[in-house]
Amino acid sequence: MATKIITHGGGFHSDEVFAIALIKEYFDSDIEVVRTRDKTFLKEVLECGDTWVIDVGGEFAPEKKNFDHHQNTFNDKWLASDILFSSCGLVWMYLKSNGYLSKHLSPYQINEFEEKLIKRIDLHDNGAGKWQPSLVFKLYNRESNTLENFMEVVATAVRYIQNSAYHFKTEEENQSSLYDHTYLDSGKIAIVTNGAFNVIPSVVKNTPSQVAIEYKEDEDTWSVQCVRRWVSAPEAWRGLSGSELEAVSGIQGMIFTHRAGHLVKVSNKDSAIAVARNILSNT
């Protein structure tokens, strides 16, 4: 039997959209949604206990799965914070405290979700901050919203959650493999050869590296990336490629330099190291 969820009709917002997406992703993928503000109907479902009432109804009672935050008696905030909960944060905390999140996410990933998504949605919905991606979900609204276009935006939110979970997982893995990389010149150059996905952000965050060298197996090339804003390839290299770039740089195996100066592609590891050291010597 599908999990029944009640939320308000009319225009929809990121908080109830993501609250329902979280239920679908981490509680039950089979959901039935009803959108209404009918007071008589809401009074009945608020007492059910087996129906989720999200962002409507005027009651926060997690033991009955009622998750509204608009009533003037509500003042619940994130721990050691001035951030008021929205329906998104309330549902998240229910799923967390009842063990549903830990079945799928590590403590690191749960923390990343809270800091990079859930709290930001709560701030946005309570008018205390801006969560820029909310515009993507707001654009699903129409003059007369149907359940069909509401479920479309919920599906988009589910994909957002899934993509976020994937990236948080790879971030955690990349941080655990920092000691697997090679570091040269007092750590200013990092050489990454383990083929990890999206590894550079963890190197930037956790090491003093200014230039990162990464082997791209799918291209069989080496990428030299300037990872600090004050570091870049020489002006004379920018926008050049092939033999012309080799002549100007004096380094063999050059493929191209991005016109912005943040990226150089080469054909082999030795050339990549030579490029990195040239960049640092001219910084």
Side-chain angles (χ1 to χ4, degrees), residues 140-177:
Y140 279 84
N141 277 288
R142 296 294 184 267
E143 290 83 355
S144 180
N145 283 312
T146 64
L147 182 59
E148 181 181 7
N149 67 291
F150 181 76
M151 295 311 297
E152 286 177 357
V153 74
V154 169
T156 301
V158 168
R159 290 299 295 157
Y160 193 101
I161 290 167
Q162 292 170 343
N163 289 335
S164 296
Y166 178 79
H167 278 266
F168 298 152
K169 180 175 181 290
T170 58
E171 283 178 10
E172 184 174 19
E173 292 170 349
N174 288 336
Q175 289 197 32
S176 68
S177 65

Side-chain angles (χ1 to χ4, degrees), residues 65-115:
K65 297 188 178 68
N66 298 337
F67 299 96
D68 198 6
H69 66 112
H70 296 99
Q71 55 275 20
N72 58 17
T73 56
F74 182 85
N75 195 39
D76 287 34
K77 300 177 181 179
W78 285 85
L79 182 66
S81 169
D82 288 329
I83 302 174
L84 283 164
F85 285 105
S86 73
S87 61
C88 178
L90 292 176
V91 167
W92 172 268
M93 292 304 294
Y94 177 90
L95 296 172
K96 179 180 177 180
S97 62
N98 286 279
Y100 294 103
L101 298 182
S102 60
K103 294 177 182 178
H104 306 274
L105 304 169
S106 71
Y108 173 89
Q109 293 157 23
I110 288 173
N111 183 71
E112 289 294 283
F113 260 111
E114 290 180 354
E115 296 301 322

Side-chain angles (χ1 to χ4, degrees), residues 16 59 67 73 193:
E16 80 269 14
E59 180 176 286
F67 299 96
T73 56
T193 57

